[in-house]
Amino acid sequence: MRILIIGSGGREHALAWKLAQSPGVTEMFCAPGNPGIASLATCLPIGASDTVELADFAEKMKVDLTVVGPELPLTLGLADELAKRQLPVFGPNKLAAELEGSKVFSKSFMKKYGIPTADAEVCVTRKEAESALRKIGIPCVFKVDGLASGKGVVVVQSAEEAERALKLFFDERLFGSAGDRVLVEQFIAGEEISFMVLCDGERAIPLATAKDFKRVFDGDRGPNTGGMGSHSPSVHLDAPTSRDVLTDIVHPTLRGMAAEGRPFRGVLFVGLMLERGVNPYVLEYNVRFGDPETQSVLIRMEDDLLPYLVGAARGAFDPELRPVWKKEAGACLVLTAEGYPGPFEKGRPITGVEEAEADEGVFVFHSGTARGPEGKLVTSGGRVLGVCARAKGLSTAIRKAKNAAAKISFEGKHHRTDIGSRAMELLLERTGSGLS
Ligand code: GLY
């Protein structure tokens, strides 16, 4: 099969890496791709959101399956454009992608179908938000309705922070039209979990659980980012709670979306808050693979990913499909540019990637990299590289990823040093050893 992958991040590099191992894949393209993906696929000078150009290419090259990485092309209708031309696509259509594209839609959808989620008020003006604040109380969460690259969510813990959020969201309108409507939402304390399921419109096949780390600094401090690291399994979610998530959240979501005339095909990524370790609430839906959760999950996947993506695109999984996961754990450390998630410089030379990858069980996925003068690897984005490792226990996987990350250099390199430490504490409590 000829595959076209859309996107340019670590998630798309991990998808390309996994699909390159599939006996069913004969040729791969990626638009626009990155230097890491270029070793596995032909990268195309087409932007990930140029929906008509992408569909033109897929049609001309008789692409058998387009796999869409990021949310923006999905919310812009890339799947619809491809479907119009009878071209198979992995990813939801525009109507179904609204689950991520509009937090106001997803909140009212959850309320309608009885899916557990925090109460929220929809606010258009500062005055409405002030009144919602009085009603919901502090702590609470401000969320913009539209897409904001994971940065449109602010947790408010004090009156000063509330004033700052009101200023940011309403006076300065930091998020532009994505912030035309803002949710002021009840705060739920607990552990955040990423729960991803592959969907064919009716059936859901869960992927291995994962946890990501959104804040830029250790100890969950500093602003939110796209994701600073991940590990799989999540450790926090036990098997009975996973079953509850499927019964109380995933299946009602799929049934509800079908009833709304928006059947969901692709990967549904449910951002969960696990209150007191057992009560799962939906924080948000995403309509695509998580980044960097996908990196930690796919390095653990034993079987071929392609039949799952084809089944979802076709709207009917092969009933025999049951993913098999390696018994090893996966971890991913994201190396970021100085200043990220604020402004950062590009073009800083990167060294040591090959040395890092030479370690057994280490995989380096490119994200914000480019080829500079003389073809040398340089930084070109905020999240530069995802250094991933697979090993028998989570502690070993994390140590391996850290050792590999230490071999990579670029000016201003930053990464969190506490990825997985909460999970290690939990494992220690449960087993007396951090090695399981
Ligand atoms: N890691 C969070 C996300 O992909 O949205």
Side-chain angles (χ1 to χ4, degrees), residues 191-416:
E191 202 67 57
E192 251 185 88
I193 308 291
S194 303
F195 197 88
M196 295 190 280
V197 287
L198 298 166
C199 308
D200 66 0
E202 272 182 34
R203 199 179 143 203
I205 301 181
L207 294 174
T209 57
K211 171 153 180 68
D212 85 328
F213 296 81
K214 293 210 170 61
R215 303 292 192 99
V216 69
F217 299 124
D218 283 3
D220 290 330
R221 288 179 301 110
N224 265 346
T225 68
M228 295 297 293
S230 63
H231 59 75
S232 173
S234 79
V235 177
H236 305 274
L237 200 64
D238 57 18
T241 315
S242 286
R243 282 195 290 275
D244 290 347
V245 173
L246 282 172
T247 311
D248 302 338
I249 293 172
V250 171
H251 292 140
T253 301
L254 293 187
R255 282 196 298 270
M257 288 298 278
E260 296 289 312
R262 305 175 187 237
F264 192 93
R265 294 179 185 176
V267 62
L268 179 69
F269 162 171
V270 190
L272 293 171
M273 184 60 86
L274 208 54
E275 191 198 34
R276 291 193 295 277
V278 282
N279 298 328
Y281 283 80
V282 179
L283 290 180
E284 63 178 12
Y285 291 109
N286 296 307
V287 297
R288 37 79 193 171
F289 285 103
D291 186 347
E293 292 91 329
T294 301
Q295 292 84 315
S296 292
V297 167
L298 288 186
I299 60 173
R300 297 186 57 222
M301 192 175 192
E302 194 75 74
D303 43 353
D304 186 357
L305 177 64
L306 186 62
Y308 294 88
L309 304 189
V310 169
R314 211 177 28 218
F317 286 128
D318 176 339
E320 301 301 312
L321 284 178
R322 302 263 179 294
V324 179
W325 303 100
K326 291 183 194 294
K327 294 282 174 260
E328 296 159 302
C332 177
L333 293 186
V334 175
L335 311 187
T336 58
E338 188 175 9
Y340 174 79
F344 52 83
E345 270 186 37
K346 298 181 181 177
R348 294 186 170 171
I350 305 170
T351 57
V353 172
E354 282 175 16
E355 289 86 332
E357 284 175 321
D359 292 350
E360 195 268 321
V362 170
F363 314 88
V364 180
F365 296 118
H366 290 234
S367 194
T369 67
R371 291 284 168 201
E374 295 163 33
K376 295 248 166 65
L377 198 64
V378 296
T379 63
S380 75
R383 293 195 288 174
V384 178
L385 293 161
V387 182
C388 303
R390 191 177 64 212
K392 199 92 198 93
L394 192 52
S395 59
T396 316
I398 292 164
R399 196 172 55 242
K400 248 168 124 169
K402 280 185 182 164
N403 289 345
K407 296 181 184 175
I408 297 175
S409 303
F410 55 88
E411 196 190 328
K413 177 184 94 171
H414 165 71
H415 68 79
R416 277 183 63 162

